[in-house]
């Protein structure tokens, strides 16, 4: 171990207030004796920040790195910063992170926070993950496509690399499935810092018919309760539109008595941050299920749960990925209720009957069983990762979904008789959805690649146009100047041309102010530009031809 790493090891401290600290020696001993370990614990138990330090204490991370996956870029950055602060080292030295378009890692790095998607990309170059001593797969209970693919792949790597360790962390949801998948691996249960939550159900299903009246009754009940419980309220709703409608209704009904704050993924960063700052009056946060496990909203004493969410599902009949509103599982309902037991005893108002709750499925279907698998099948074929039907997925997808993915890839020209074509090999090297990748290759042939690079990268990132709740009219007027009546695609081209022009004329801080005035997200514009550059370099490496003359409407469409 180099000197700076051994010094860090001496400075390893484990905060006494975190429940995981009681288990440090137990986890260290199990890690030395087992190749795979499952650590189960709710948010707040300290597993995310302390496990990499326990690995260092166990002597791992000396010659190779400790890879620590996160499902989201924001989490990878913030967790890396937190661990670096606790170890009293600068970010990018012993502790670093790597996310799409941003990499803060050095030769000294021993703990590397990385998004699960980016680790999958690294596997293409390093099939046995020889750069790592241990991989920590965090938040595995979310059962995202990336996590399931990663766990299936790692099962094979562990058989070929006896020195590699794997730690899987999960909320206390179905941890036995992870243990069974890895040959009855040991499980350490770490309790979270939670308080009791009182459950209040509706007496009958008819009571849920008028949501607005029901909501007024609940809020009046909370307002008339003991002031010692003057904590904020979190209500889960299924989408932006519902959040807008309920927030307008509540502002009319309660005026200044309760501050109503929306929280959803497309909301501007500034509006999202308002949720995490203290307010002068009691606050009601109206959130999509982004607040279920990804974000912890502070000071919540009450949860209102109507019991619905938008769940992404692929239909192999219509060939479309849809977002229907569905009843949530018991596990999701329990996660929601737990949001109000973080700081003090809480109350969860479930807007359905107890019998309804008990009749719901125990868990949400893993993403791999309800998504279009074309990208997964393409990557597996291109990088020789085995047959998708025989791949050791935790929950194998329906064979019909795999056959459907192969049919889609055949229609796109990526497969012929289940074998990869030159078009398929090229598509696999473009880091976007299969249909967008095929668009780029076709654009190289029709003389529209310059424009389609802009459009495809725009379609692959979050929309940079912002519509703050209080200023939707102003935002729509600001965005009008880029609209094109012929098609939305030309709208993207107009916005891009305007942005590039402003970028050339202004300093970075002036450009940020210009974007804010025009209701555009600085971060998302930068993401769009970074992905465009990545795709441009990939297109050049594939020898796709950029057009010098602007493409006309017909060749573009």
């Amino acid at each position: 171990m180099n000197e700076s790493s051994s010094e860090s090891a001496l400075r390893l401290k484990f905060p006494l207030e975190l429940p995981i600290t009681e288990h440090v020696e137990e986890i260290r001993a199990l890690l030395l004796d087992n190749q795979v370990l499952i650590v189960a614990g709710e948010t707040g138990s300290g597993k995310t920040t302390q496990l990499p330090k326990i690995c260092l204490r166990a002597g791992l991370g000396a010659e190779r790195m400790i890879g620590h996956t996160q499902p989201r870029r924001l989490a990878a950055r913030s967790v890396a910063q937190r661990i670096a602060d606790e170890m009293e080292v600068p970010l990018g030295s012993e502790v670093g992170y790597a996310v799409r378009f941003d990499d803060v890692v050095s030769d000294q790095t021993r703990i590397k926070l990385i998004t699960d998607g980016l680790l999958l990309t690294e596997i293409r170059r390093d099939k046995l993950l020889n750069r790592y001593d241990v991989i920590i797969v965090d938040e595995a209970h979310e059962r995202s496509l990336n996590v399931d693919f990663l766990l299936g792949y790692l099962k094979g790597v562990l058989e070929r690399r006896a020195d590699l360790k794997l730690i899987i962390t999960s909320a206390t949801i179905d941890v036995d499935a992870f243990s069974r998948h890895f040959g009855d691996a040991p499980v350490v249960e770490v309790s979270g810092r939670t308080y009791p939550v009182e459950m209040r159900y509706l007496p009958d299903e008819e009571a849920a018919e008028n949501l607005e009246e029901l909501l007024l009754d609940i809020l009046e009940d909370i307002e008339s309760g003991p002031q010692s419980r003057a904590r904020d309220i979190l209500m889960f709703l299924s989408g932006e539109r519902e959040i807008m409608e309920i927030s307008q209704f509540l502002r009319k009904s309660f005026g200044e008595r309760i501050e109503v704050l929306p929280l959803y993924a497309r909301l501007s960063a500034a509006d999202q941050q308002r949720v995490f700052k203290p307010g002068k009056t009691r606050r009601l946060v109206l959130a999509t299920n982004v607040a279920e496990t990804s974000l912890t909203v502070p000071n919540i004493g009450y949860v209102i749960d109507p019991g619905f969410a938008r769940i992404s599902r692929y239909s192999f009949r219509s060939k479309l990925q849809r977002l229907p509103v569905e009843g949530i599982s018991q596990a999701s309902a329990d996660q929601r209720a737990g949001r109000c037991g973080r700081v003090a005893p809480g109350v969860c108002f479930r807007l359905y009957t107890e019998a309804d709750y008990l009749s719901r499925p125990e868990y949400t279907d893993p993403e791999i069983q309800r998504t279009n698998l074309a990208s997964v099948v393409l990557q597996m074929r291109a990088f020789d990762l085995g047959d998708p039907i025989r791949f050791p997925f935790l929950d194998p997808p329906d064979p019909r979904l795999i056959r459907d993915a192969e049919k889609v890839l055949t229609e796109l020209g990526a497969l012929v008789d289940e074998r990869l074509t030159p078009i398929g090999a090229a598509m696999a090297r473009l880091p976007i959805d299969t249909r967008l990748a095929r668009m780029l290759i076709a654009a190289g042939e029709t003389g529209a690649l310059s424009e389609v690079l802009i459009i495809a990268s725009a379609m692959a990132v979050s929309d940079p146009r912002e519509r703050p709740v209080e200023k939707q009219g102003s935002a729509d007027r600001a965005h009008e100047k880029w609209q094109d009546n012929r098609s939305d695609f030309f709208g993207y081209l107009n916005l891009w041309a305007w942005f590039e022009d402003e970028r050339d004329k202004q300093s970075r801080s002036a450009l940020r102010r210009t974007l804010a005035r025009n209701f555009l997200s600085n971060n998302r514009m930068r993401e769009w530009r970074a992905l465009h550059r990545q795709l441009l370099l990939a297109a050049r490496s594939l020898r796709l031809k950029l057009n010098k003359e602007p493409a006309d409407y017909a060749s573009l469409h």
Side-chain angles (χ1 to χ4, degrees), residues 234-290:
L234 173 61
M235 181 174 184
F236 287 93
L237 293 165
S238 55
E240 275 180 56
R241 186 173 171 182
E242 203 182 358
I243 287 173
M244 296 306 165
E245 288 169 357
I246 296 284
S247 61
Q248 284 169 357
F249 165 73
L250 290 173
R251 286 189 183 111
K252 280 182 203 157
S253 307
F254 282 87
E256 303 295 311
R257 284 165 55 200
I258 294 179
E259 185 185 6
V260 180
L261 294 174
L263 180 63
Y264 50 86
R266 264 170 44 89
L267 200 63
S268 72
D271 281 338
Q272 283 187 17
Q273 283 308 309
R274 285 171 62 197
V275 170
F276 302 99
K277 291 171 185 163
K280 292 175 184 165
T281 59
R282 170 174 268 147
R283 295 168 351 141
L284 169 57
V285 178
L286 301 175
T288 58
N289 55 357
V290 70

Side-chain angles (χ1 to χ4, degrees), residues 185-202:
V187 177
V188 178
E189 296 258 1
V190 180
S191 64
R193 292 172 294 170
T194 53
Y195 293 85
V197 175
E198 178 193 343
M199 295 295 170
R200 295 193 191 169
Y201 292 94
L202 293 187

Side-chain angles (χ1 to χ4, degrees), residues 204-233:
D204 52 57
E205 288 174 18
E206 285 177 20
E209 285 175 5
N210 191 328
L211 178 63
E212 292 181 349
E213 267 184 38
L214 186 57
L215 196 48
L216 288 180
D217 289 345
I218 289 171
L219 293 176
E220 292 292 356
D221 184 22
I222 291 171
E223 285 286 273
S224 61
Q227 286 310 299
S228 60
R229 296 174 78 167
R231 299 203 177 273
D232 295 336
I233 308 156

Side-chain angles (χ1 to χ4, degrees), residues 320-372:
L320 293 173
Q321 193 82 26
R322 298 174 304 113
L323 274 170
V325 175
E326 297 181 3
I328 58 171
S329 65
Q330 291 182 18
S332 282
D334 295 344
Q335 287 281 329
R336 289 180 175 190
R339 300 283 104 184
C340 63
R342 297 273 171 246
V343 285
V347 180
C348 176
F349 297 88
R350 285 182 169 162
L351 309 189
Y352 42 94
T353 64
E354 189 168 8
D356 181 353
Y357 168 77
L358 294 171
S359 71
R360 292 177 180 226
E362 208 174 341
Y363 307 111
T364 309
D365 297 339
E367 187 184 4
I368 199 157
Q369 295 184 341
R370 51 186 169 82
T371 197
N372 175 9

